[in-house]
Amino acid sequence: MDHIVITGGNRLQGEVPISGAKNSALPILASTILGGGECVITNLPRVVDVLTMGKLLGMLGATVVHEGNRAVIKADAIHSTEAPYDLVKTMRASVLVLGPLLARWGEAKVSLPGGCAIGSRPVNLHLAGLAKLGADISIEHGYITATAKRLKGARIYCDTPTVTGTENLMMAASLAEGTTVIENAAKEPEINDLSEFLCRRGARIAGAGTDILTIEGVQELQGGDHDVIPDRIEAGTHLVAGAITRGDVTITNCRPAHLEALLMKLREAGADIQAGHDRVRIRVTGRLKGTDIRTLPFPGFPTDMQAQMVAVMALAEGTSVVTETVFESRFMHVEELRRMGADIRVEGNRLIVTGRPTLTGAPVMASDLRASAGLILAGLAAEGTTEVQRVYHLDRGYERIEEKLRAVGAVIERRKARTSPTMR
Ligand code: UD1
């Protein structure tokens, strides 16, 4: 297994171009099977999850031609309605094919995702919503099986705003008979992006970006083109790389409006931030100040930036309280940061972070995608060498992260796994 080795202590300086959003690309790709005709998707990030979704669509029978940041997909016919366990266990977002398969092809069999390093992640709201639309749903042998002749529009209330749940229901309702209203819908920018793509192909969706979505079902969707929005979490991660190294970093090709909560917190901590139309510059000269953070659904502070900000707070002056409200046990990075000298106490869903003047490099283990990013950021600022193991998590969601960091002055490299002499 590859690992990443970082020599900390270098101030980052320069421009980092931001790639397309993984969390937008995945539902957009899944939605291509909702209609016939050609879909051309650009600004796709070159990350493992996007490749996995392409593979899944191919397994279902779609024609997928994926080159670099562009994919051309045609799903005039499919030959399977099953997303198998072997694939779903590597990427939970595979569940995003459930709504489209059911709505267009009348049946879907999708493996239940199972456990996850950041806590229990049920799909009960996806299933309850689809049942409201008239689907027959059962769970047997680890698989969700859903069938429906044609879905029928309904009023759906989500107990919790769920991002992929809202996306699944929005896709399914697009082909249902009549009108669907989704209340307490998720408002993340990725929902808007999917809605725009679906509407361009003939769907009728109003309210994306608010907590009430109204979808008038249509008979069919056509093909269409779409340029995926920039990745706000990748953008945030590189801004934090600038902050934690007391550097001067400008991220380009981003949407500052999607970063508001993070920018406010970084400003509160003492960073100098200038936001332009599609770029943000961050400059930090002295030690940052501790700041309390509470993760929330958009437009609140994103849970996907929590681990990265904990790394910053571990080096800030004073004490910060970080409250995680979205996922129940998203603190796997804490033990690893402690190995680097961080002073962090866990109290239920809160972290009490007492900033230290320095962290020291250490071998650490990544547990999930964003925790890996948090450890890399800590390594950039720590004294000495940090070796981050299990970086396959990172490859699921960050395009060329070492290359992008190296280009602004980080000393970071990927090393191939050493083979143990006792192993053959
Ligand atoms: C998406 C993102 C992920 C991000 C998360 C929260 C993708 C591919 N992934 O994940 O990066 O961290 O949003 O912003 O877009 N819940 C239920 N029942 C359900 C569904 C969700 O109880 O059926 C709960 C979850 O356990 C969690 C909360 O709702 O506590 C929000 O989760 P959700 O928005 O669904 O996360 P994902 O869509 O899986």
Side-chain angles (χ1 to χ4, degrees), residues 249-270:
V249 167
T250 300
I251 53 164
T252 60
N253 182 36
C254 65
R255 300 233 182 133
H258 296 169
L259 301 167
E260 285 293 336
L262 172 69
L263 299 186
M264 275 172 64
K265 283 293 157 186
L266 287 168
R267 279 193 182 111
E268 206 177 299

Side-chain angles (χ1 to χ4, degrees), residues 22-24 26-27 49 92-93 96 118 120-127 160-165 167 186 188 190 232-233 296-298 302-304 325-328 330 369-370:
K22 167 184 88 75
N23 285 355
S24 227
L26 297 177
D49 273 9
R92 301 180 52 82
L96 284 165
I118 64 176
S120 158
R121 291 175 76 179
V123 289
N124 60 313
L125 299 173
H126 301 228
L127 304 187
T160 302
T162 152
V163 178
T164 48
E167 290 161 350
E188 270 66 6
E190 292 77 23
R232 63 197 167 94
I233 306 301
L296 284 169
F298 191 83
T303 173
D304 283 354
T325 78
V326 180
F327 290 112
E328 58 184 21
R330 198 171 200 177
L369 172 57
R370 308 304 172 185

Side-chain angles (χ1 to χ4, degrees), residues 31 40 54 233 360:
S31 80
V40 181
I233 306 301
T360 53

Side-chain angles (χ1 to χ4, degrees), residues 358-376:
T358 52
L359 294 178
T360 53
V364 288
M365 191 93 86
S367 56
D368 73 69
L369 172 57
R370 308 304 172 185
S372 321
L375 296 175
I376 289 200

